[in-house]
């Protein structure tokens, strides 16, 4: 009680929820000890009241100082695997939970990192001695265009950042007050780059679609965080709900963030792939059932539309390949006993190494849950990205894994 002034230095290092629980627990523990010992401070109600007021007053201030914006995103996208483009329409519900009125919103348009040699990604690649992008043909580069932003149905100005072509400044017609929300809409088109430069890309008709859509930058207590895309960098993003429909030829196997909505037909098709994969593994035919093991089959002339939905995530990524083998499993979480579905999708490139991938996925999900708290979503998916650059990156629900060379590394 005498050293209550030192509390501030400790609180600043502890998450607000843990802090409240710690202080409350400490207070009642101390209260009980003093009562048992007939401590004179127990009867000094003046000092005790000061302690109570300070402690809970501080907790209230600490709690109120933290905020987090909410960004809910709906996207309808179509893949054209003949010209390697995405055509899409996006709607963003942006909820201002900050205490500030916002006059503009920074938007990341990270596919533009692949547009020319002046982007931060290109410069970083050069500095690291990776010059493939520097000498890339224009047909192998990527970009985003066809943007036409509206806020609550009215056109708004979107000014490109003077230093970064993969960042836009969306100027609002009127400030967004604390507690208010707006709806931002835009069409967009992405030219998918060759998949040897960074994480977004394609190798033939194998697609790794990551950091691919207009996305608001984070606004926190330190202000805006507009960040150019980097191959060596992390992605600081706001949390919210993603609702995404993907249209593409029906013989593509797709792994994505989110749970399939009304996806019974697609899940049945994937489970047939699982049966096929297990049979090939049993007969030791994996990797040899196509001409050279890595040819792309013709794309179906029929299309399918897959609907994915996930809440409380900060990103949406998806991967599509017509050659994927598929395995499926399930793991029971250690605390809640909830069941999580595990999926593995892989090509012939390292197919033998992926034979036990479900075992690896189940173990990883179980033990991380045991040590850190139960996994909060319904599925965990791993996809083989061994033929592309940037393989080895985690996204909500799904992880792409690069070339492993051994079962232990995988």
């Amino acid at each position: 009680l005498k050293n209550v002034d030192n509390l501030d230095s400790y609180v600043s290092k502890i998450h607000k929820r843990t802090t409240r629980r710690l202080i409350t627990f400490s207070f009642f523990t101390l209260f009980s000890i003093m009562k048992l010992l007939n401590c004179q401070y127990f009867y000094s109600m003046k000092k005790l009241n000061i302690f109570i007021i300070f402690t809970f007053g501080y907790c209230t201030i600490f709690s109120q100082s933290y905020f987090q914006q909410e960004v809910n995103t709906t996207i309808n996208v179509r893949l054209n695997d003949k010209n390697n483009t995405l055509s899409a329409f996006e709607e963003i519900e942006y909820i201002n939970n900050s205490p500030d009125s916002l006059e503009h919103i920074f938007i990341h348009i990270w596919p533009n990192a692949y547009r020319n040699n002046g982007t931060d990604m290109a410069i970083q690649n050069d500095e690291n001695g990776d010059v493939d992008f520097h000498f890339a043909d224009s047909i192998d580069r990527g970009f985003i265009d066809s943007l036409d932003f509206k806020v609550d149905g009215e056109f708004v100005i979107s000014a490109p950042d003077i230093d970064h072509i993969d960042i836009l400044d969306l100027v609002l017609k009127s400030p967004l007050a604390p507690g208010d929300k707006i709806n931002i809409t835009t069409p967009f088109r992405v030219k998918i780059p060759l998949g040897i430069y960074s994480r977004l890309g394609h190798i033939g008709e194998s697609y790794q679609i990551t950091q691919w859509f207009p996305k608001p930058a984070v606004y926190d207590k330190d202000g805006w965080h507009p960040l150019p895309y980097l191959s060596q960098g992390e992605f600081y993003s706001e949390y919210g709900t993603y609702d995404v429909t993907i249209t593409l030829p029906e013989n593509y196997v797709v792994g994505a963030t989110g749970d399939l909505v009304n996806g019974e037909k697609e899940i049945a098709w994937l489970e047939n792939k699982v049966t096929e994969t297990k049979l090939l593994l049993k007969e030791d035919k994996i990797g040899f059932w196509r001409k050279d093991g890595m040819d792309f089959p013709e794309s179906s002339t029929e299309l399918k539309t897959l609907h994915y939905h996930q809440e409380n995530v900060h990103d949406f990524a998806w991967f599509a390949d017509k050659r994927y083998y598929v395995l499926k499993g399930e793991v029971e979480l250690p605390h809640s006993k909830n069941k999580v579905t595990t999926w593995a999708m892989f090509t012939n490139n390292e197919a033998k190494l992926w034979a036990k991938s479900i075992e690896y996925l189940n173990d990883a999900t179980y033990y991380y849950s045991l040590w850190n708290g139960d996994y909060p979503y319904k599925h965990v998916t791993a996809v083989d990205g061994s033929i592309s650059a940037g393989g080895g990156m985690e996204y909500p629900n799904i992880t792409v894994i690069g070339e492993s060379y051994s079962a232990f590394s995988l």
Side-chain angles (χ1 to χ4, degrees):
L1 288 175
K2 292 180 179 178
N3 295 323
V4 74
D5 291 337
N6 294 331
L7 185 63
D8 191 66
S9 63
Y10 291 95
V11 169
S12 64
K13 301 175 183 178
I14 302 172
H15 188 277
K16 63 173 184 177
R17 185 180 298 171
T18 305
T19 303
R20 285 198 297 268
R21 290 175 178 174
L22 178 63
I23 292 173
T24 303
F25 174 79
S26 299
F27 167 70
F28 283 110
T29 301
L30 185 60
F31 187 92
S32 300
I33 291 171
M34 290 192 306
K35 185 174 181 180
L36 286 171
L37 296 178
N38 197 28
C39 178
Q40 62 176 332
Y41 285 107
F42 175 73
Y43 296 104
S44 181
M45 296 305 297
K46 181 177 181 181
K47 292 184 178 181
L48 188 59
N49 287 336
I50 291 173
F51 174 78
I52 293 171
I53 292 168
F54 179 88
T55 299
F56 289 94
Y58 188 94
C59 289
T60 302
I61 294 169
F62 186 89
S63 176
Q64 290 175 348
S65 67
Y66 179 81
F67 67 87
Q68 187 171 305
Q69 307 290 64
E70 182 178 345
V71 177
N72 301 313
T73 304
T74 301
I75 305 174
N76 298 315
V77 59
R78 179 168 176 167
L79 169 68
N80 184 325
D81 65 351
K82 302 305 180 187
N83 59 17
N84 300 310
T85 60
L86 303 174
S87 300
F89 186 85
E90 178 178 15
E91 180 176 355
I92 301 167
E93 180 188 53
Y94 189 96
I95 302 173
N96 182 16
N97 292 323
S98 81
D100 308 317
S101 292
L102 305 180
E103 297 183 351
H104 62 115
I105 296 175
F106 284 105
I107 305 287
H108 292 141
I109 48 172
W110 281 335
N112 268 354
Y114 302 85
R115 185 179 283 275
N116 61 45
N117 288 338
T119 68
D120 286 67
M121 183 202 76
I123 293 169
Q124 185 188 67
N125 286 4
D126 287 347
E127 291 173 346
N128 290 336
D130 183 355
V131 296
D132 287 341
F133 184 78
H134 189 93
F135 295 105
D137 294 332
S138 59
I139 194 172
D140 294 330
R141 296 175 183 251
F143 53 81
I144 185 170
D145 64 12
S146 304
L147 297 164
D148 190 15
F149 284 99
K150 294 180 181 178
V151 172
D152 293 334
E154 296 186 8
F155 290 104
V156 291
I157 296 172
S158 55
D161 186 270
I162 191 170
D163 297 315
H164 308 289
I165 63 172
D166 53 354
I167 299 173
L168 282 178
D169 188 356
L170 202 67
V171 182
L172 304 180
K173 290 189 174 181
S174 58
L176 179 61
D180 284 353
K181 63 183 179 181
I182 55 174
N183 285 301
I184 304 168
T185 60
T186 185
F188 67 94
R189 183 176 72 105
V190 173
K191 166 65 171 62
I192 305 169
L194 188 65
I196 63 172
Y197 310 124
S198 192
R199 297 184 179 93
L200 168 66
H202 75 97
I203 299 292
E205 293 170 350
S206 178
Y207 295 92
Q208 298 190 26
I209 309 301
T210 67
Q211 313 301 341
W212 55 284
F213 54 91
K215 188 178 187 182
V218 169
Y219 184 82
D220 62 19
K221 63 183 179 60
D222 297 318
W224 285 106
H225 296 267
L227 305 172
Y229 177 85
L230 295 171
S231 294
Q232 291 181 319
E234 292 297 336
F235 310 113
Y236 187 33
S237 304
E238 303 284 14
Y239 275 75
T241 296
Y242 280 86
D243 197 83
V244 179
T245 58
I246 302 168
T247 301
L248 74 176
E250 68 177 3
N251 58 334
Y252 274 92
V253 176
V254 177
T257 298
D259 301 320
L260 276 167
V261 178
N262 298 322
E264 294 81 5
K265 180 180 178 181
E266 182 70 9
I267 290 174
W269 182 72
L270 289 174
E271 288 177 341
N272 285 336
K273 290 279 186 182
V274 171
T275 301
E276 179 184 276
T277 300
K278 287 181 176 179
L279 181 62
L280 290 167
L281 286 170
K282 182 178 180 180
E283 296 177 352
D284 200 27
K285 293 181 179 179
I286 198 109
F288 303 102
W289 64 298
R290 294 193 181 109
K291 181 179 178 182
D292 64 0
M294 292 297 284
D295 285 349
F296 291 100
E298 288 293 322
S299 292
S300 174
T301 57
E302 299 296 321
L303 301 178
K304 64 182 177 183
T305 297
L306 305 177
H307 182 186
Y308 295 92
H309 182 89
Q310 189 58 269
E311 299 175 2
N312 299 319
V313 291
H314 69 94
D315 201 1
F316 188 99
W318 56 284
F319 303 82
D321 196 311
K322 293 171 287 186
R323 306 163 304 166
Y324 276 152
Y325 299 107
V326 183
L327 291 174
K328 180 184 179 183
E330 186 178 76
V331 59
E332 182 180 276
L333 299 178
H335 304 295
S336 66
K337 306 303 179 182
N338 289 338
K339 303 290 182 64
V340 173
T341 303
T342 49
W343 296 92
M345 301 173 178
F346 53 97
T347 68
N348 284 324
N349 192 56
E350 290 191 320
K352 294 292 181 68
L353 300 183
W354 284 72
K356 294 184 178 180
S357 53
I358 291 299
E359 178 185 335
Y360 308 153
L361 281 165
N362 288 351
D363 285 350
T365 305
Y366 179 86
Y367 285 105
Y368 271 89
S369 296
L370 181 65
W371 300 328
N372 300 298
D374 280 355
Y375 181 74
Y377 308 110
K378 294 181 180 179
H379 81 85
V380 175
T381 301
V383 297
D384 173 10
S386 58
I387 61 173
S388 296
M393 175 56 69
E394 64 284 352
Y395 303 92
N397 299 134
I398 191 163
T399 296
V400 57
I401 300 175
E403 207 155 29
S404 302
Y405 305 105
S406 71
F408 179 80
S409 296
L410 178 63

